[in-house]
């Protein structure tokens, strides 16, 4: 039998909004690339929910009439579904709003309470089906709803919308103006529709059409692709800003730390120097015991100076690694010589702290290897120094073993075990971070820059090795470095190298040589002159570029040492002027750059400019002698003491 269904006028708004919402759904259909954003996901579910709610509502008001022949059960289900979809739409709307208003989920209870209300509402709606206390149909087909209808069906959406709006007002300041405006407008519109519908006892169906209008507002203000892009780039900017702040803080911490690291040895230098001055006194009488004490102070100054230098070298090393300029230079070396050197160096430090130092090298490891001896030594010393530094009693043990990788390659395993303070498990991931010092509470009195392990890790990586740490807080740590090394099978390689080195290091004098040292710093001139005095011969000094040029016109020297940074004419300008000067008596005299500029690559730059060699300050006396030996005419060298 055909029924004459008619569309009641009160659903006209709903039909219209179903139409425009469908259009919106189609517009937003292709935005799948934006699904990742959580607000957008919620928006899409809101959109779909609203579409279904509208559809069910229209169905209800067109078909849910038993007089039209629709079975009473279907009518009841439709009416129940209509109500549930409406409440669900308001729930999703508020959850969506909370994503903006309370993204950090500070007001969790609002969500929990909202869910509980929804659960209760759902239970009541289901209970209503048999018990018929909210909405029902009489057997004669008349639709009824009880006095609980309005409170139960309309309270949840009104509660959701008002609580959402109250939170919106509370959190207004945390939102951007666009979010403030859009969310306020959308929730006000929706709330208005819902209240009208409730107030008219459902005679005017405005909650869904107004809710759909709210969705429109949201789509074109907060959910457009452009706005998402803007949010994303803002987020990136925020992260970049935070990173910059963090990096800046790390640098400040580093500077503070460095300042401390530099001040400590500097304090020793100045203090010891003061003691020497006092010891000599105005009468300048030095007895034997004074000489011993002065010698002791001088030794301390030397130690402090070396410590200072190692801090600066660490910084340079790290900057070299950072800029990708650290190179691994592989050459033949003898393992036992390397371990002997390390033994001597660490044993003294361990004994000074009353620690037992054990060094064990597996005798089956091939002694003659090819690799970067310097870097391996640096790694060993760094880890061992730490072990000694962070251990107060007990022992430090260095164990060197190997495993064969192929016929020519072994994995050299360097393992350092200590019975020191240990490292907390939660600190382990930060161990190799730059400038990272752990457990500062306990470490405050232990000197360190936090650079050592960062360097060790990078160097190990550069040599294709790996580093592992196991530690028990309060009991001790084990650092294990494994680095592949090539076995040196050529018999005389290493020997040649070291005998050559020995020859070069042999004591010699240059009694017939005359040197010129150019430096604007008088102390540097004194140091270089005294070092050169050791070789015999004559040393002349000059405090600036023009004066040195004049001297070069007056005398022929055997070697000239030139500082770089000098006021007025710098060392490079002086060098160029000297080369162009027709009256210069030293056009071919070896000229060595002697400078505190020790950054990576400067050596090559100076050599490219034409300087004969390069020595970095602080000047190492052996390095100075090596350079002289290399460039001075051989006939002027007298070997032997
Ligand atoms: P530092 O100059 O501070 O020693 P490192 O980079 O060498 O810098 O070490 C970083 C941090 O790791 C140290 O500050 C210390 O907290 C921890 N650490 C390193 N070695 C040990 C060790 N053997 N025992 C305990 N803690 C260690």
């Amino acid at each position: 039998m055909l029924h004459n269904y008619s569309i009641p006028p009160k659903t006209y708004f709903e039909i219209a909004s179903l139409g425009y919402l469908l259009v919106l759904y189609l517009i937003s259909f292709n935005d799948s690339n934006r699904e990742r954003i959580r607000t957008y996901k919620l928006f899409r579910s809101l959109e779909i929910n609203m579409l279904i709610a509208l559809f069910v509502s229209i169905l209800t008001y067109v078909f849910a009439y038993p007089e039209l022949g629709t079975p009473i059960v279907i009518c009841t289900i439709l009416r129940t579904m209509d109500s549930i979809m409406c409440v669900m739409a308001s729930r999703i709307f508020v959850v969506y709003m909370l994503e903006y208003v309370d993204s950090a989920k500070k007001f969790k209870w609002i969500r929990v309470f909202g869910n509980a209300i929804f659960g209760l509402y759902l239970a009541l709606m289901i209970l209503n089906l048999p018990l018929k206390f909210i909405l029902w149909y009489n057997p004669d087909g008349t639709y009824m709803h009880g006095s609980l209808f309005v409170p139960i069906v309309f309270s949840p959406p009104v509660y959701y919308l008002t609580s959402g709006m109250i939170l919106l007002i509370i959190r207004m300041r945390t939102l951007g103006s666009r979010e403030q405006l859009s969310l306020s407008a959308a929730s006000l519109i929706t709330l208005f529709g819902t209240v009208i519908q409730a107030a008219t006892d459902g005679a005017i169906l405005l909650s869904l059409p107004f809710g759909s209008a709210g969705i429109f507002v949201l789509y074109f203000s907060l959910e457009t692709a452009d706005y998402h892009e803007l949010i994303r780039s803002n987020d990136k900017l925020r992260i970049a800003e935070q990173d910059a702040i963090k990096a800046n803080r790390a640098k400040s911490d580093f500077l503070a730390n460095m300042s401390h690291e530099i001040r400590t040895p500097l304090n020793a230098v100045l203090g010891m120097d003061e003691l020497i001055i006092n010891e000599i006194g105005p009468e300048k009488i030095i007895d034997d015991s004074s000489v011993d004490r002065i010698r002791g102070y001088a030794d301390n100054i030397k130690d402090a100076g070396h410590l200072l230098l190692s801090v600066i070298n660490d910084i340079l090393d790290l900057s070299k690694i950072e800029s990708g300029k650290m190179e691994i230079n592989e050459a033949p070396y003898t393992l036992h010589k390397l371990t002997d050197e390390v033994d001597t160096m660490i044993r003294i430090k361990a004994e000074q702290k009353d620690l037992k130092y054990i060094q064990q090298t597996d005798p089956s490891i091939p002694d003659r290897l090819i690799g970067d001896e310097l870097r391996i030594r640096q790694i060993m010393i760094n880890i061992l120094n730490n072990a000694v530094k962070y251990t107060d009693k007990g022992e430090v043990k260095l164990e060197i073993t190997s495993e064969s990788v192929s016929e020519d390659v072994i994995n050299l395993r360097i393992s350092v075990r200590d019975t020191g303070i240990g490292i907390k498990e939660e600190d382990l991931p930060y161990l190799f971070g730059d400038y990272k010092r752990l457990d500062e509470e306990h470490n405050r009195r232990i000197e360190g820059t936090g650079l050592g392990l960062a360097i060790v890790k990078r160097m190990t990586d550069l040599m294709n090795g790996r580093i592992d740490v196991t530690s028990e807080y309060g009991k001790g740590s084990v650092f294990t470095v494994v680095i592949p090394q090539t076995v040196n099978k050529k018999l005389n390689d290493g020997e040649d190298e070291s005998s050559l080195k020995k020859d070069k290091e042999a004591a010699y004098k240059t009694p017939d040589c005359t040197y010129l040292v150019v430096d604007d710093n008088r102390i540097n001139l004194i140091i270089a002159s005294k070092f050169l005095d050791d070789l015999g011969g004559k040393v002349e000094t000059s405090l600036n570029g023009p004066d040195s040029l004049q001297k070069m016109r007056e005398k022929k020297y055997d070697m000239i040492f030139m500082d770089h940074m000098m006021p007025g004419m710098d060392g490079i300008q002086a060098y160029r002027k000297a080369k162009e000067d027709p009256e210069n008596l030293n056009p071919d005299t070896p000229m060595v750059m002697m400078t505190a500029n020790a950054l990576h690559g400067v050596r090559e730059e100076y050599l490219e400019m034409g300087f004969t060699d390069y020595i970095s300050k602080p000047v190492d006396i052996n390095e100075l002698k090596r350079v002289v030996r290399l460039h001075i005419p051989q006939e002027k060298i007298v070997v032997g003491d």
Side-chain angles (χ1 to χ4, degrees):
M1 166 181 143
L2 271 174
H3 298 292
N4 195 7
Y5 293 115
S6 65
I7 298 172
K10 68 175 184 175
T11 59
Y12 287 173
F13 283 122
E14 291 193 334
I15 292 169
S17 41
L18 181 68
Y20 63 67
L21 210 58
L22 263 174
V23 173
L24 183 72
Y25 184 75
L26 291 177
I27 294 176
S28 58
F29 193 72
N30 280 331
D31 293 342
S32 51
N33 57 332
R34 288 195 274 145
E35 297 275 315
R36 273 167 288 134
I37 297 180
R38 183 152 161 75
T39 57
Y40 191 63
K41 271 191 194 163
L42 281 167
F43 175 79
R44 296 281 296 189
S45 15
L46 181 61
E47 205 181 26
I48 293 167
N49 188 284
M50 192 61 95
L51 272 173
I52 299 172
L54 278 165
F55 188 64
V56 171
S57 180
I58 294 165
L59 268 187
T60 306
Y61 291 107
V62 174
F63 294 109
Y65 299 102
E67 66 265 30
L68 296 176
T70 313
I72 285 183
V73 183
I74 303 287
C75 293
T76 317
I77 292 177
L78 273 174
R79 291 237 175 221
T80 308
M81 285 289 292
D82 173 40
S83 165
I84 292 176
M85 290 312 293
C86 267
V87 174
M88 234 164 102
S90 64
R91 175 83 199 119
I92 300 178
F93 177 76
V94 174
V95 172
Y96 166 83
M97 204 155 104
L98 287 177
E99 260 325 288
Y100 282 99
V101 177
D102 182 33
S103 55
K105 297 206 164 60
K106 274 191 189 160
F107 296 88
K108 245 189 180 150
W109 59 271
I110 287 208
R111 290 173 169 84
V112 175
F113 197 53
N115 286 341
I117 286 185
F118 190 69
L120 182 67
Y121 159 79
L122 218 59
L124 288 173
M125 288 309 279
I126 292 166
L127 275 180
N128 169 66
L129 293 175
L131 299 180
K132 300 182 177 175
F133 60 101
I134 304 172
L135 58 89
W136 69 92
Y137 282 85
N138 285 330
D140 64 2
T142 46
Y143 167 69
M144 301 291 293
H145 55 238
S147 55
L148 287 176
F149 177 82
V150 172
I152 291 178
V153 171
F154 286 98
S155 306
V158 170
Y159 163 75
Y160 291 145
L161 292 167
T162 40
S163 65
M165 286 183 67
I166 290 171
L167 201 63
L168 176 66
I169 293 167
I170 295 174
R171 309 273 296 164
M172 201 61 110
R173 278 218 230 124
T174 62
L175 299 173
S177 55
R178 189 195 285 230
E179 289 164 353
Q180 290 176 352
L181 214 67
S182 314
L183 292 172
S184 311
S187 44
L188 268 176
I189 293 170
T190 312
L191 182 66
F192 181 71
T194 311
V195 169
I196 296 276
Q197 188 163 331
T200 58
D201 200 9
I204 306 177
L205 300 178
L206 274 189
S207 73
L208 291 177
F210 274 53
S212 310
I215 287 184
F216 246 73
V217 169
L218 294 177
Y219 183 79
F220 288 107
S221 57
L222 297 183
E223 300 304 334
T224 58
D226 290 353
Y227 189 61
H228 282 184
E229 195 50 48
L230 188 71
I231 290 179
R232 214 171 297 162
S233 36
N234 275 351
D235 283 350
K236 275 189 206 152
L237 274 180
R238 208 168 303 129
I239 292 170
E241 188 192 5
Q242 276 162 3
D243 284 352
I245 291 171
K246 252 193 244 160
N248 195 23
R249 199 172 302 138
K251 293 273 182 247
S252 306
D253 290 352
F254 169 70
L255 278 182
N257 205 351
M258 280 306 148
S259 154
H260 172 259
E261 288 319 300
I262 291 170
R263 271 166 195 277
T264 311
L266 214 50
N267 180 46
V269 170
L270 296 177
M272 290 291 131
D273 191 51
E274 194 63 40
L275 291 178
I276 292 175
I277 294 168
N278 285 348
E279 199 69 49
I280 295 168
E283 299 89 26
K284 298 183 187 161
I285 303 166
I286 304 177
D287 56 28
D288 278 355
S289 69
S290 296
V291 169
D292 287 345
R293 276 197 295 275
I294 289 173
R295 168 91 216 188
Y297 300 147
D299 279 344
N300 288 340
I301 291 178
K302 193 172 172 183
D303 288 348
H306 281 299
L307 189 65
L308 256 180
L309 194 58
S310 74
V311 171
I312 288 157
N313 282 342
D314 271 1
I315 301 173
L316 286 182
D317 268 349
L318 199 71
S319 94
K320 257 192 236 175
I321 298 174
E322 300 269 84
S323 57
K325 286 176 180 157
M326 166 81 71
E327 280 162 15
I328 297 300
N329 297 315
E330 303 210 325
Y333 70 94
T334 349
L335 185 64
H336 82 263
K337 276 192 198 151
L338 169 64
T339 51
D340 284 354
E341 278 171 29
V342 172
D343 187 280
T344 322
M345 210 181 286
I346 300 299
R347 194 168 293 282
I348 299 171
K349 291 192 177 174
E351 277 164 7
Q352 278 168 355
K353 284 187 81 177
D354 277 337
L355 297 174
K356 192 170 164 199
Y357 178 63
I358 307 162
Q359 186 164 314
Q360 259 175 18
T361 308
D362 179 353
S364 69
I365 308 176
D367 198 31
R368 300 156 52 74
L369 298 170
I370 299 174
D372 194 330
E373 180 187 9
L374 193 77
R375 300 297 171 209
I376 293 181
R377 182 191 292 116
Q378 212 173 335
I379 289 174
M380 279 188 193
I381 288 176
N382 238 313
I383 300 179
L384 281 164
N385 269 341
N386 275 350
V388 172
K389 222 162 52 168
Y390 297 106
T391 304
D392 286 330
K393 56 178 188 296
E395 62 178 43
V396 170
K397 183 174 180 185
L398 166 66
E399 211 175 341
I400 303 175
T401 52
S402 77
E403 61 217 34
S404 168
V405 177
S406 68
E407 204 187 321
D408 291 334
V409 179
I410 57 161
N411 267 341
L412 194 64
R413 177 185 289 270
I414 301 157
S415 169
V416 175
R417 180 184 299 271
D418 66 54
T419 53
I421 60 171
I423 300 158
K424 287 181 188 159
E425 200 172 333
E426 66 264 29
D427 283 342
L428 282 175
Y430 307 106
L431 199 59
F432 301 108
D434 302 348
Y435 322 131
K436 207 77 196 171
R437 305 209 65 212
L438 311 173
D439 202 8
E440 299 256 9
E441 222 173 283
H442 289 100
N443 285 352
R444 206 169 298 137
R445 273 169 289 111
I446 305 175
E447 280 161 15
T449 55
L451 289 180
L453 286 180
I455 294 171
V456 165
K457 167 90 176 94
R458 314 269 176 92
M459 280 185 189
T460 312
D461 288 347
L462 276 178
M463 291 192 275
N464 300 320
R466 57 169 205 275
I467 178 161
D468 293 315
V469 186
T470 52
S471 188
E472 205 176 328
Y473 191 55
K475 294 216 164 136
S477 319
V478 185
F479 283 75
T480 308
V481 180
V482 179
I483 303 169
Q485 295 285 278
T486 310
V487 179
N488 182 10
K489 294 200 163 154
K490 275 199 229 148
L491 255 178
N492 285 322
D493 244 10
E495 245 72 81
D496 285 347
E497 180 99 340
S498 57
S499 60
L500 197 78
K501 233 164 135 190
K502 251 195 206 124
D503 184 39
K504 286 204 179 136
E505 279 165 7
Y508 70 91
K509 297 271 177 205
T510 55
D512 298 331
C513 288
T514 313
Y515 302 99
L516 174 64
V517 186
V518 188
D519 199 313
D520 60 312
N521 183 307
R522 285 176 198 278
I523 296 177
N524 287 345
L525 284 180
I526 295 172
I527 294 170
S529 310
K530 291 286 170 202
F531 282 3
L532 286 167
D533 270 352
D534 224 33
L535 292 174
K538 268 196 354 212
V539 185
E540 289 184 15
T541 58
S542 171
L543 274 165
N544 56 59
D547 177 66
S548 72
L549 290 177
Q550 188 53 39
K551 287 202 158 67
M552 286 184 229
R553 284 179 171 195
E554 290 162 9
K555 191 183 257 175
K556 166 97 180 84
Y557 296 97
D558 292 288
M559 193 175 260
I560 300 166
F561 295 93
M562 181 69 78
D563 180 26
H564 181 172
M565 306 287 193
M566 290 187 289
M569 185 189 290
D570 71 20
I572 295 171
Q573 288 166 331
Y575 169 83
R576 292 198 175 128
K577 284 235 155 44
K579 288 283 165 194
E580 288 162 9
D581 184 1
E583 290 173 51
N584 178 9
L585 302 178
N586 298 273
D588 301 318
T589 305
M591 201 181 293
V592 175
M593 176 51 84
M594 186 141 81
T595 171
N597 183 3
L599 289 175
H600 178 76
V602 292
R603 175 190 194 90
E604 289 71 23
E605 277 171 29
Y606 290 129
L607 296 189
E608 233 165 70
M609 283 174 204
F611 284 93
T612 315
D613 211 327
Y614 158 90
I615 296 177
S616 68
K617 285 180 197 159
V619 177
D620 177 76
I621 188 162
N622 293 321
E623 175 66 2
L624 182 72
K625 285 182 180 171
R626 186 192 67 79
V627 168
V628 172
R629 174 91 208 245
L630 207 62
H631 302 294
I632 223 89
Q634 293 306 303
E635 63 276 11
K636 296 207 170 179
I637 290 175
V638 182
V639 179
D641 287 322

